[in-house]
Amino acid sequence: MTFRKSHPLIKIVNSTLVDLPSPANLSVNWNYGSLLGLVLVIQLVSGIVLATRFSGHSDISFDSVISIYQDSNYGWLLRLVHSTGASFFFLFIYLHIGRGLYYGSYIYPEVWNIGVLIYLILMGTAFLGYVLPWGQMSYWAATVITNLLSAIPWLGSILVEWVWGGFAVGNPTLTRFFALHYLLPFVVTALVILHIFYLHLYGSSNPLGVSSNTNKVSFHYYYSVKDLYVYFVFFFIFMFFTLKYGYSFMDAENFIPANPLVTPTHIQPEWYFLFAYAILRSIPNKLGGVLGLVLAVMVLFLFSISSTQLLFSGTIYSPLARLTFWSLVSVFFLLTWLGSCPAESPYTEVALASTIAYFSLMVIMCVWPHVSTYLYLKS
Amino acid sequence: MTFRKSHPLIKIVNSTLVDLPSPANLSVNWNYGSLLGLVLVIQLVSGIVLATRFSGHSDISFDSVISIYQDSNYGWLLRLVHSTGASFFFLFIYLHIGRGLYYGSYIYPEVWNIGVLIYLILMGTAFLGYVLPWGQMSYWAATVITNLLSAIPWLGSILVEWVWGGFAVGNPTLTRFFALHYLLPFVVTALVILHIFYLHLYGSSNPLGVSSNTNKVSFHYYYSVKDLYVYFVFFFIFMFFTLKYGYSFMDAENFIPANPLVTPTHIQPEWYFLFAYAILRSIPNKLGGVLGLVLAVMVLFLFSISSTQLLFSGTIYSPLARLTFWSLVSVFFLLTWLGSCPAESPYTEVALASTIAYFSLMV
């Protein structure tokens, strides 16, 4: 037996990346998974090197970021890569989840649920990381988001003061956010390994939504080369974006050191959180808004009830389901734009309508597999 | 099939901790492995909570440690636990390696080599962690040990300035040591998983040194209970030591903030590094000393050539081999004591003799 199949450790790598039976017809939408793995590695490496140059203390953090730019070798590049990498991470995760919704990948409940968990922890990691430079937006975003915990009845204020390590966001908050931001990506890595483990129990789905057992190819060379090609395309786009438009995603407010006495006029998070931010602000009640925010992401967990016994092809064979999907995408874009608008009329009404549309469409999409199975059996 | 054997993920845990065929006659010397796992978890948890309260900057680190003691909830306890935990980690790893040398566990080369690698990375992690409080001993230990890199011919001084991030140990050194000290334990955890993976390909050895295929029991209840019992004993000893003698391992010099202009009279590392420190100082030549230091640990890798095809029982059936083993242990203790003595006569001569004895016995 060849070495790669007999060595007790190498054979695990072999069955994941070389001799893995894969459907012959995977489209570009199946590339996002491996792209996410690449961006995770980029973030880990750039993050750890940045950590060797960063100091976590409210008097020092802002200056240490400046020192990273001015004093350390290629510090500016690392910082831009890490900051842009986060945006690309979320871009690919939304495309990856979109592929999952469109093609009905949630029929593998463990894979799906671990994926949603990864998404949640990723959002936490990104939030924690944004606070570290201790600019105005870092400080005020931390204040706004941690204050949401106070909406929890009875335990709320104790909880939020425990998270702060004080009576407001301050130095203890920053030091613990740094420690947690360093820790969570390793948790994400472990979950990614589990995600792939469960996926390979079943095998990948494919764009036709039917069983691919009749036409499989080995992962190497076909998909290793395809992934590598897309890596190169990504590298070009990523580097172009980082080097030419690296500051386009950075909020101008974050170039001002944090000042607890001055609130910025427009507190808004990075683009990847804007849809949830819009939902949060659109509900007039504080606790209601927090619940809306939480449910906006947790609704993805609902899809594991959609797993049916019959092979399910997702939305592709139903024009109505496809319409629902693309409406959901449009509402997502609308909510993202609304998150960046001031919290005034007419935006608030539109946001409220969009929130209702978002949840309705999500629920319809969850329930769709059962409806379609029922209709099929009835016919 | 029962759930624990059929679930694709749980069955891995099952075959490691429940339905694992284990020799029936494992002695207490086989407990050190699981104890090491426990101490690793203790260090990870205490370390991460400490990291939420620590700031890494040369102007601030010392004060942040004081703040950990005075301002944060149970910070004093966490710091003592983490510091004492490191000592226990090394105690158990020396006992674990000793068991390996005595019973010839190195016949499993992958398990052995990964184990030595874990030991090396552990030493690095402990060194990095010691620098973080930025006391006098932190600063000067960092200076001494990083300066050893300058002994490397040709590349030495470039290398050491790259590690420092400057022309001497300073703030860049501290920030990168913090980041690396946070990272390496996860590497250790991954290696531990590999270590156990390879061990379970073969199955544990046993104190008789013969094949145990004729008499195996399942890990649960026998060894899960035994491990749990020893965990409780350890907990008692550990807590007693931490709470009553928590400062006994701390060097008094480290309670003084780092001062690049004042060198302490006796620079010495923690007890677990003293044997290597003695070897380093006993060789008059600088590069020779560094090589001695490195080889003192790397010599453990040599044992993988000892792996024979015949089932090997270690030292237990040969009085001469056992004598060699216990002489090695004595020399180890001697070197450890010598590491804490000033670098003067007559200690230097004794140290040189012990170094030679150490390497001879190992070979």
Side-chain angles (χ1 to χ4, degrees), chain A residues 77 91 127 145 149 187 231 253 292 309-310 317 372:
Chain A
L77 179 61
L91 171 68
F127 164 67
I145 299 301
L149 286 171
V187 176
Y231 278 8
E253 285 280 354
Q309 292 305 319
L310 293 174
Y317 295 122
S372 76

Side-chain angles (χ1 to χ4, degrees), chain A residues 286-302:
Chain A
K286 183 176 187 181
L287 181 58
V290 175
L291 277 175
L293 175 71
V294 169
L295 282 174
V297 178
M298 294 299 197
V299 71
L300 286 173
F301 275 122
L302 261 186

Side-chain angles (χ1 to χ4, degrees), chain A residues 272-332:
Chain A
Y272 36 82
F273 288 149
L274 286 174
F275 80 101
Y277 196 59
I279 293 176
L280 168 75
R281 295 190 309 178
S282 67
I283 301 170
N285 179 280
K286 183 176 187 181
L287 181 58
V290 175
L291 277 175
L293 175 71
V294 169
L295 282 174
V297 178
M298 294 299 197
V299 71
L300 286 173
F301 275 122
L302 261 186
F303 281 83
S304 26
I305 64 161
S306 316
S307 122
T308 66
Q309 292 305 319
L310 293 174
L311 195 67
F312 175 64
S313 323
T315 63
I316 49 181
Y317 295 122
S318 158
L320 211 60
R322 288 164 76 181
L323 185 66
T324 318
F325 174 78
W326 291 112
S327 314
L328 181 63
V329 172
S330 318
V331 168
F332 181 84

Side-chain angles (χ1 to χ4, degrees), chain B residues 5 16 20 27 56 67 71 87 107 139 197 215 228 239 257 281 283 291 330 335-336 343:
Chain B
K5 295 191 200 179
T16 310
L20 172 74
S27 66
S67 158
D71 301 329
S87 282
I107 50 167
Y139 181 88
F197 171 78
N215 191 8
L228 192 63
M239 282 277 95
R281 296 192 306 179
I283 301 170
L291 277 174
S330 318
L335 281 170
T336 299

Side-chain angles (χ1 to χ4, degrees), chain B residues 95-114:
Chain B
L95 290 169
H96 190 65
I97 294 174
R99 182 280 310 267
L101 289 175
Y102 191 77
Y103 291 100
S105 307
Y106 36 81
I107 50 167
Y108 303 154
E110 302 94 349
V111 189
W112 180 264
N113 287 334
I114 292 178

